[in-house]
Amino acid sequence: MRHPPASSAAPSASAPAAAQQPQQAPSQQLSSSASQSSLIGSITSVFAELKSKYEEESTRRMRLIDVFLVFVVMVAATQFGYMLLVGSFPYNSYLSGFMACGGMFVV
C-alpha cells in the first residue's frame, strides 16, 4: 500500500536559492571597492619600491645592458607582429631575424 504524498503546506527543500539569499548591501559593495583600491595601492607601492631599489643598486653598465635587452625584445616583437599581419613569405628571413634576436638576448 502506498502512502499519500506529504502536504504542500510544509516548506520544500527545493526552493530557489536566490529567493533565500538577501541582496548585497551597499556597504558591502563599498568595502569591495575599497579593498580593490587598497590592492592597487599596494601593487603601486611595490613597483615604486622596486624602481627605487633598481636605481640605487644597479650600475650604469647594468642599466645599459638592460636597455639593450628591452630593445632586442621590442625588435623580436615587431618582427613577430609583422609576420602575423603581412605574412611570412620569405620564412627563412623571418626565422633568421627572430632567432638572431633570441640569440642576442641569451648571450
Side-chain angles (χ1 to χ4, degrees):
M1 190 176 207
R2 292 187 184 181
H3 297 289
S7 69
S8 62
S12 71
S14 63
Q20 294 175 356
Q21 295 177 350
Q23 295 289 332
Q24 278 189 344
S27 63
Q28 290 175 341
Q29 291 174 351
L30 290 176
S31 67
S32 174
S33 65
S35 66
Q36 287 177 351
S37 65
S38 68
L39 177 66
I40 291 171
S42 65
I43 290 173
T44 305
S45 66
V46 166
F47 279 115
E49 183 179 347
L50 180 68
K51 182 183 176 212
S52 67
K53 289 281 187 181
Y54 176 77
E55 290 173 350
E56 289 172 8
E57 297 178 6
S58 63
T59 62
R60 185 170 185 221
R61 183 177 179 185
M62 184 60 70
R63 288 187 211 156
L64 183 64
I65 292 171
D66 290 342
V67 168
F68 176 72
L69 291 178
V70 168
F71 171 74
V72 167
V73 168
M74 287 178 17
V75 168
T78 303
Q79 289 177 349
F80 185 74
Y82 182 83
M83 191 239 358
L84 288 177
L85 291 174
V86 177
S88 63
F89 166 62
Y91 186 69
N92 290 337
S93 299
Y94 160 72
L95 197 59
S96 66
F98 195 78
M99 289 194 157
C101 289
M104 282 190 288
F105 187 82
V106 169
V107 171

